[in-house]
Amino acid sequence: MQNVLITGTNRGIGQALVEEALRQGAEHVYAGTRVALTHKDPRVTYLELDVTDQAQIEAAAKTVESLDVLVNNAGLAAYDNLSDRALVEQHLAVNLLGPLALTTAFLPQLIEARGAIVNVLSVAALASLPMIPAYSISKAAAFSLTQAQRALLAPQGVRVHAVLTGPTDTDMSRDLDVPKAAPQAVARAIFDGVAAGDEEIFPDPLSAMLAPGWASGAVKQLERQNAALLSA
């Protein structure tokens, strides 16, 4: 890794991703956050970056001249019962349209570097969690976005990875009485998966159960078949 941009870095997986990128030898880490932070390592530059704010996105794209890896990690997860349409739209704005806007803004740098996009998703993209339905809906849409980006950007040399996380010990799931992975372990598995070229990354024990049959499964086969239509 050389230059890495990670969104949502003030806590949880995002914070762990910054530390793991440094541990794995990143030359520079641009850390997007909504709050003012500092880091003792001079390789880290914090950027004021709300993924729903187009002006901040454009300012960040001008600041970061060279980029090898874009990690779309910033996310929103609120418990609700689908009674609040505005909340659904807010989830889509952060979890779907945010990564789309970031990718569009940084695409020139990524194409030049033949870099990688990493979309941090969730197993809820595959099977909805009814206790957080708006989150599940937005992550399902973001998974579809990831598949589309993968097919459309491949001719330009940009790799696109989908991270399908299970329960992680962060604010979102801390109160759930289920086994949870440590953010540090998840972050390590994410960057290891990117280095290995894995299109789908299963970074924790729960999501890892999907890995053995994924490459030959119906979802992956259908994705490849649909992508092939682009060149038909």
Side-chain angles (χ1 to χ4, degrees):
M1 285 187 295
Q2 294 178 333
N3 297 310
V4 183
L5 170 61
I6 305 165
T7 64
T9 61
N10 60 302
R11 59 184 178 180
I13 295 176
Q15 193 174 61
L17 283 166
V18 171
E19 300 307 319
E20 184 61 23
L22 295 172
R23 192 187 73 81
Q24 294 202 14
E27 292 183 9
H28 205 105
V29 178
Y30 296 94
T33 177
R34 290 187 177 190
V35 297
L37 296 172
T38 58
H39 200 286
K40 62 182 179 181
D41 195 311
R43 291 177 292 167
V44 177
T45 298
Y46 279 102
L47 301 173
E48 183 181 7
L49 188 54
D50 177 344
V51 300
T52 66
D53 188 322
Q54 188 61 37
Q56 289 186 6
I57 292 172
E58 291 173 2
K62 292 177 181 177
T63 299
V64 180
E65 295 182 357
S66 178
L67 187 63
D68 299 278
V69 181
L70 169 62
V71 184
N72 287 308
N73 168 72
L76 172 66
Y79 289 79
D80 191 56
N81 59 8
L82 286 182
S83 60
D84 186 345
R85 176 183 172 130
L87 186 62
V88 176
E89 292 174 346
Q90 188 179 6
H91 277 79
L92 291 169
V94 175
N95 298 342
L96 173 66
L97 299 179
L100 176 59
L102 262 291
T103 299
T104 301
F106 284 96
L107 194 55
Q109 293 97 315
L110 291 166
I111 291 173
E112 182 176 355
R114 299 184 70 82
I117 298 164
V118 183
N119 291 334
V120 180
L121 307 175
S122 167
V123 292
L126 308 177
S128 181
L129 285 169
M131 64 185 69
I132 43 174
Y135 170 83
S136 301
I137 290 166
S138 64
K139 288 298 185 179
F143 182 45
S144 182
L145 169 66
T146 302
Q147 293 173 314
Q149 289 176 327
R150 183 178 293 147
L152 293 167
L153 297 179
Q156 299 177 76
V158 177
R159 292 166 286 117
V160 183
H161 305 266
V163 181
L164 294 162
T165 61
T168 306
D169 191 15
T170 63
D171 292 345
M172 172 183 155
S173 58
R174 191 153 289 146
D175 293 335
L176 295 178
D177 187 20
V178 296
K180 295 178 279 287
Q184 295 80 7
V186 170
R188 187 176 307 116
I190 289 172
F191 282 124
D192 287 349
V194 172
D198 298 335
E199 291 187 340
E200 280 76 36
I201 299 169
F202 306 95
D204 57 84
L206 188 147
S207 65
M209 294 189 299
L210 300 171
W214 187 264
S216 59
V219 172
K220 196 64 183 177
Q221 289 192 49
L222 188 56
E223 178 189 337
R224 295 192 187 107
Q225 176 180 307
N226 289 348
L229 295 174
L230 287 172
S231 57

